[in-house]
Amino acid sequence: MSKSKIERLFDQGEFVVSCEIGPPKSTDAEVIREYARMLKNHVDAANLTDCQTAIVRISSIASAWHCLEEGLEPIIQMTCRDRNRIAMQSDLLGAYSMGIRNILCLSGDHQKFGNHPTAKNVHDLDSMQLVNMVKRMKDEEEFCCGEKFKNHAPKDFFVGAVANPFADPFEWRVARLEKKIAAGARFIQTQCIFDTDRFVKFMDMVKERGLHKKCKIMAGVTPIKALGAAKYMKNNVAGITVPDELITRLEAANKAGGKDAVREEGIQICIEQIKMFKEIEGVAGVHIMAIAWEELVPRLVEESGLYPRPALKE
Amino acid sequence: MIIAEQKPMETIEEFIKDYKKVLFLGCAGCVTVCLAGGEKETDLLATSLRMKRELEGNPLETVTYTATRQCDPEYVDGIANYVEDVDCVVSLACGVGVQFVAEKYRNKIVFPALNTKFAGGTVEHGVWEERCGLCGDCILHKTGGICPIIRCSKSILNGPCGGSQDGVCEISKDVPCAWHLIVEHMKELGRLDMLMEVQPPKDWSTSRDGGPRKVVREDVKIDE
Ligand code: SF4
Ligand code: SF4
C-alpha cells in the first residue's frame, strides 16, 4: 500500500490544507460521508476527531474508513485518555490495514469536560510517548515493548502531533515542539490561532531553532461564528487566546448589522488569517477547524485563493 | 500520610440502623493528623449518632476506642475484648485499618466511616493536598521535586499539555498546572535541559497495575 497523500504533497512542496470533521453522537455514518463528499475537492485531508471534548462519538478510525470510501484522505486523531499502549497499537494496526496513513497524537481533553465525567481515564502514555511509539512501529519496525514485527510493519504511517503556541509557559512551547519532533513528529497542527502576533513570535522562535525544516507546521484556524462564541473562547477555553482587537471588530459588525454581519466578519477574519499564514516562512499548510460549521470550509478555501487543490505528481 | 475524610453522617447512620450496640474504632495514626478519625472525631461521631437514635426512639449503645494504629496487627489484636460484645464495628481508620480489623474479627461486620482519599500533606491548617500517586518508582529527581504522575491531571511525563494557561490546569482555575510548576522550578535550578530528554513510557507494573504490592525487608524480619 502507498504513502500518505499529504506526506507526498508536502514532499512536493505544496501548501497543504486540512480540515476537521466531528463524527456524530450516533451510528449515523451518513453524516461523515456527506461531509467527505462535500469537502474532498477542497481539502487535502480531514482530521477525524477522537471523542472530542471527551464526548462519545463514532470512533475516529471507523469515521476515517467512511472518508476513505468516499475518496477523502483521513487523518485519525488518537488521544491518550482512553486507551493503554496495547489498545493503541492494536487500533493502529487495524487503521493501517484499512489504508489509513495519517495519525495525529494528542493527550486529549480531560474527561471532566465530556458526557462521562465520572469515567476512569487511562493516560498510560502521554502524547510525546505516543508519537515515539508510532515512529518506532514505522521506522524501527518494533512494538512499544521492543519486540520486532516479523512482517507487515506499518512503515508508511505519517506521524503528526499538535502544538499550542498559546499555552503556558510560552518559552517552553517551542522547546516542547522540538522535543516532539525529536520523538518523531513529522507534521504539526497548531491550536487555533486568533492572536496572530503571538503566533508570529512563536514562528520566529521555531525558525531560530530550525524546526520548520525538520517538520511540516500547519497553522490552525477557526472561523468565528458569533460574538458570544468569541467571548466564550476568550474567557473559558483553556489554551486559546482571543485578542481584544478581534472582539472589537466583531462588536462593530454586530452594531452595524447584527448576527449575520458578525458571521460575515468572522469569515473575513479567517480568510485574512489564512492568506497571512500562507506568506509566513515556515508555515507549510493550514488546518481549518470549523467544527459544526464544516459546510463553510469550501468557501474559506476558495476565497483565500487555495482552490483548486494541487494534484499529486507521479 | 494518608488523607481521609469522614463519610456523611447519614451514610454511617444508615450502615448501623439495625444494630443496637456498636464499637466506634478510631485510629491514632494519619487520620488523627488529618482530623478525620482520631479520638476526638470518634467520640463526636459516636455521641451524635447516639443522641440522634435516642430522639428517634431506637436507642443505640456505643463503645469507643482509639487504637494506636489499625494498620498494625499488634494494636488490632489488643482490642478483642471491645469487639467481642458489640453487634458491629464502625472503623474510623483509612481503608487499610478497616481491612486489618475485618480480617482479624471475621464474625463482625466492619463499616468504613471514612473515605480514604490520597497520600498528601498539610498545606495549611485544614487544607490537605495530594502529592504522590504511589507509583512505586519515584522520578521526582527528574521533575524538580514535583510529581507529574499525580499532580498533572493527565499524568503526563513530557508536559505541559496544550491546556496549560496562566499556570493553571485545563480542568479548573483552582488547580495549578504541575508542569508549569516543574518548568518554572527547573528554570530556577538552571536545569531546563533535563526536561528536553524524551521520557519513555512508564513502567506501571510497579504501580497498582502490577497487582497488589508487597515490600519485604528480610533484614528486619523476625524468624520464629
Ligand atoms: S513519582 Fe511516583 S513515587 Fe514519586 S511522588 Fe510521584 S507517584 Fe509518588
Ligand atoms: S494543564 Fe498541566 S496539569 Fe493540567 S493536564 Fe495539562 S500538563 Fe497536566
Side-chain angles (χ1 to χ4, degrees):
Chain A
M1 279 208 245
S2 62
K3 271 176 120 177
S4 132
K5 176 179 163 196
I6 55 168
E7 181 175 7
R8 286 187 288 162
L9 286 173
F10 277 129
D11 288 348
Q12 247 171 247
E14 312 288 355
F15 188 82
V16 170
V17 179
S18 61
C19 70
E20 214 152 281
I21 296 176
K25 289 160 78 173
S26 72
T27 57
D28 186 7
E30 197 40 40
V31 177
I32 302 162
R33 288 182 175 250
E34 226 180 280
Y35 282 138
R37 288 192 291 269
M38 179 184 89
L39 296 164
K40 68 178 179 192
N41 293 322
H42 284 81
V43 299
D44 305 311
N47 283 24
L48 287 309
T49 55
D50 178 12
C51 296
Q52 204 189 11
T53 60
I55 289 171
V56 179
R57 297 163 181 281
I58 291 188
S59 78
S60 172
I61 293 171
S63 305
W65 181 77
H66 290 293
C67 287
L68 275 174
E69 289 259 294
E70 294 293 344
L72 172 64
E73 164 104 341
I75 300 171
I76 53 163
Q77 296 195 174
M78 185 172 267
T79 68
C80 300
R81 180 188 56 234
D82 309 318
R83 317 169 182 74
N84 69 5
R85 63 194 82 174
I86 301 171
M88 280 175 165
Q89 291 177 99
S90 162
D91 280 353
L92 286 168
L93 297 183
Y96 195 89
S97 75
M98 292 180 197
I100 294 165
R101 293 292 175 265
N102 309 305
I103 153 152
L104 189 83
C105 308
L106 306 148
S107 52
D109 294 315
H110 197 271
Q111 76 275 10
K112 162 180 194 265
F113 299 107
N115 59 358
H116 292 76
T118 57
K120 188 171 195 289
N121 61 27
V122 182
H123 300 298
D124 174 23
L125 302 182
D126 62 28
S127 59
M128 191 85 62
Q129 293 162 344
L130 173 56
V131 164
N132 197 245
M133 183 173 80
V134 190
K135 178 203 150 57
R136 284 174 53 209
M137 287 171 88
K138 76 191 256 318
D139 292 348
E140 274 118 73
E141 301 188 24
E142 63 186 21
F143 292 97
C144 188
C145 59
E147 185 185 322
K148 293 279 177 196
F149 276 82
K150 289 207 174 62
N151 49 39
H152 294 277
K155 283 188 239 177
D156 289 322
F157 263 140
F158 188 43
V159 193
V162 293
N164 185 356
F166 310 102
D168 291 318
F170 181 58
E171 327 82 77
W172 186 249
R173 287 294 138 189
V174 183
R176 187 150 189 269
L177 172 61
E178 184 166 359
K179 217 172 140 172
K180 276 195 179 165
I181 296 170
R186 296 280 323 284
F187 72 99
I188 293 288
Q189 291 176 338
T190 76
Q191 175 63 282
C192 47
I193 303 159
F194 297 112
D195 186 346
T196 46
D197 293 346
R198 185 151 162 178
F199 178 64
V200 168
K201 220 157 97 194
F202 175 81
M203 283 308 296
D204 286 342
M205 290 161 76
V206 163
K207 281 176 276 188
E208 248 166 60
R209 298 197 190 207
L211 302 181
H212 61 305
K213 300 219 169 89
K214 296 186 185 156
C215 106
K216 303 296 176 188
I217 296 171
M218 305 180 77
V221 294
T222 288
I224 293 175
K225 216 174 184 175
L227 189 54
K231 288 184 174 163
Y232 181 81
M233 281 194 283
K234 181 181 173 71
N235 300 320
N236 299 305
V237 181
I240 292 187
T241 52
V242 184
D244 292 330
E245 308 94 80
L246 224 148
I247 304 273
T248 316
R249 260 180 87 171
L250 295 168
E251 268 166 353
N254 191 37
K255 247 197 196 144
K259 263 193 196 149
D260 290 343
V262 172
R263 267 176 174 237
E264 196 48 38
E265 189 70 4
I267 294 169
Q268 289 313 320
I269 291 171
C270 191
I271 293 168
E272 284 168 31
Q273 285 173 336
I274 297 175
K275 285 182 175 163
M276 175 186 167
F277 298 150
K278 195 165 177 285
E279 299 311 316
I280 298 178
E281 192 209 334
V283 177
V286 278
H287 176 58
I288 306 169
M289 287 167 274
I291 290 283
W293 203 6
E294 282 91 342
E295 55 288 359
L296 178 70
V297 173
R299 183 178 161 199
L300 289 175
V301 173
E302 284 174 21
E303 293 186 19
S304 37
L306 294 170
Y307 189 79
R309 299 304 308 142
L312 285 170
K313 293 180 194 145
E314 231 149 354
Chain B
M1 65 175 154
I2 289 180
I3 310 297
E5 187 178 47
Q6 236 175 68
K7 284 182 183 283
M9 180 89 86
E10 302 72 55
T11 308
I12 304 169
E13 193 184 350
E14 179 69 21
F15 282 163
I16 59 166
K17 67 175 195 299
D18 298 327
Y19 297 98
K20 299 288 172 218
K21 189 171 180 186
V22 176
L23 169 63
F24 289 84
L25 188 59
C27 180
C30 307
V31 295
T32 293
V33 186
C34 68
L35 311 177
E39 193 175 351
K40 219 174 81 200
E41 294 80 28
T42 306
D43 286 343
L44 191 65
L45 180 65
T47 313
S48 317
L49 287 170
R50 195 176 57 234
M51 282 163 55
K52 204 143 185 272
R53 286 271 292 263
E54 189 69 54
L55 286 172
E56 285 160 8
N58 179 18
L60 170 72
E61 195 181 334
T62 62
V63 180
T64 56
Y65 181 75
T66 301
T68 305
R69 277 195 301 281
Q70 289 187 37
C71 58
D72 216 330
E74 191 188 326
Y75 302 109
V76 175
D77 290 354
I79 57 168
N81 52 328
Y82 294 99
V83 180
E84 247 161 46
D85 59 66
V86 294
D87 305 326
C88 72
V89 180
V90 170
S91 164
L92 288 87
C94 72
V96 181
V98 174
Q99 293 186 55
F100 270 55
V101 173
E103 198 170 300
K104 169 79 191 169
Y105 303 103
R106 307 190 64 86
N107 60 341
K108 292 278 148 72
I109 185 158
V110 183
F111 294 103
L114 307 186
N115 289 322
T116 307
K117 308 288 272 197
F118 51 79
T122 319
V123 290
E124 61 181 273
H125 196 74
V127 181
W128 295 272
E129 272 180 14
E130 184 165 25
R131 287 297 160 92
C132 170
L134 314 175
C135 78
D137 181 15
C138 197
I139 53 152
L140 285 175
H141 58 292
K142 293 181 174 177
T143 56
I146 294 153
C147 174
I149 308 282
I150 207 68
R151 294 177 68 186
C152 163
S153 308
K154 299 176 191 166
S155 293
I156 292 172
L157 293 176
N158 295 278
C161 78
S164 166
Q165 205 157 41
D166 300 324
V168 300
C169 173
E170 69 175 36
I171 68 156
S172 160
K173 293 213 188 320
D174 303 323
V175 177
C177 167
W179 271 101
H180 193 102
L181 297 173
I182 293 169
V183 171
E184 292 299 317
H185 192 77
M186 293 307 260
K187 199 153 85 185
E188 262 167 46
L189 291 174
R191 291 309 309 270
L192 273 179
D193 59 298
M194 281 176 72
L195 298 182
M196 283 308 285
E197 195 188 318
V198 177
Q199 293 305 321
K202 191 168 169 65
D203 173 0
W204 294 107
S205 71
T206 62
S207 186
R208 188 221 56 89
D209 310 68
R213 294 165 283 178
K214 197 182 210 163
V215 172
V216 181
R217 280 274 306 267
E218 290 296 344
D219 56 331
V220 295
K221 270 172 87 173
I222 302 162
D223 292 321
E224 252 128 65

